Amino acid sequence: MPQQLTGKRVAIVVTDGFEQDELEKPRQALEEAGAKTEVISPKSGTVKGWKYTDWGTEVPVDKELRSADPNEYDALMLPGGQMNPDNLRTDVTAVQFVESFVRTGKPIAAICHGPLTLIEANGVRGRRMTSFPSIKTDLKNAGADWVDQEVVTDQGLVTSRKPDDIPAFNRKMIEEFAEGRHPSRLRSFTPATGTGKPETTTEGTFAGTKEKSSQENLGSQGRGQN
């Protein structure tokens, strides 16, 4: 596979109950394309996967969310599994981390139930996307244009429905991650909760952030991102 993602760093945000194949297979594809991936979680140590109908294997956590800086990553990947996004969407630090990628126009890939976390991060309104069918109503109620397709892309957002869609998901994810930031998302971001600002992004960890204007942010795109 061509090394389309050489030099790119990808954050994979999960907690216990992620669907095993939806982490491992996309991660393998990203690394084969040259990306460096890191599993980031509210937990330290390991996170336990879910394999179809029962618990799967444990995966080492590379970095805890509380010490992770979103500016160090070029793209975000959100695996599914029912328990995983349900827990992430109620974790304030996880939502803030994901919302940083939404605000800054960095590419995001989410599969199955993964888009649930994007609802909390103000990342679905006005976006064309898909998901596991059981969360279709959640996404539509949050303002998404939901469609039933194996993979959907919209300004750097890649979504798929289920593990069977992983080959198509991987292809589009690599393509969008290689393209990098989508500046139009900076203009379209409209936070529903007041936690974000359309004209600013943030630098640094959550313990000590500083604001950076969209003009500064766009001006840095040609340099080594994050």
Side-chain angles (χ1 to χ4, degrees), residues 4-22:
Q4 295 171 260
L5 301 180
T6 299
K8 300 279 189 179
R9 298 184 67 188
V10 179
I12 303 174
V13 178
V14 293
T15 191
D16 290 332
F18 64 89
E19 185 65 43
Q20 194 93 28
D21 283 352
E22 293 172 359

Side-chain angles (χ1 to χ4, degrees), residues 25-174:
K25 291 181 178 180
R27 187 182 197 183
Q28 180 181 356
L30 288 168
E31 292 181 346
E32 288 176 353
K36 178 181 179 182
T37 65
E38 290 187 358
V39 172
I40 300 173
S41 176
K43 296 181 58 181
S44 60
T46 61
V47 284
K48 184 177 287 189
W50 185 262
K51 187 75 170 178
Y52 302 123
T53 59
D54 203 354
W55 289 106
T57 59
E58 294 187 348
V59 172
V61 172
D62 296 304
K63 189 172 290 186
E64 283 188 71
L65 263 168
R66 63 183 179 180
S67 61
D69 180 355
N71 292 286
E72 293 180 353
Y73 302 93
D74 301 284
L76 171 68
M77 202 267 280
L78 297 171
Q82 292 184 18
M83 290 174 278
N84 165 53
D86 259 357
N87 288 321
L88 289 176
R89 69 191 299 195
T90 61
D91 186 297
V92 173
T93 305
V95 172
Q96 288 177 335
F97 187 88
V98 172
E99 190 177 61
S100 174
F101 289 81
V102 175
R103 283 199 310 268
T104 54
K106 292 179 183 178
I108 299 169
I111 188 169
C112 196
H113 290 76
L116 280 173
T117 310
L118 287 172
I119 293 175
E120 303 301 322
N122 306 307
V124 307
R125 183 169 297 279
R127 311 304 299 280
R128 189 170 185 270
M129 59 194 303
T130 193
S131 69
F132 196 75
S134 67
I135 67 168
K136 171 179 71 173
T137 301
D138 300 80
L139 290 166
K140 291 176 72 173
N141 287 343
D145 175 15
W146 192 91
V147 295
D148 184 11
Q149 295 178 11
E150 67 174 359
V151 63
V152 178
T153 60
D154 183 355
Q155 297 182 65
L157 174 62
V158 181
T159 50
S160 282
R161 303 167 301 185
K162 55 190 177 180
D164 289 346
D165 297 336
I166 287 175
F169 177 73
N170 288 348
R171 288 192 296 272
K172 283 297 183 181
M173 174 177 61
I174 290 170

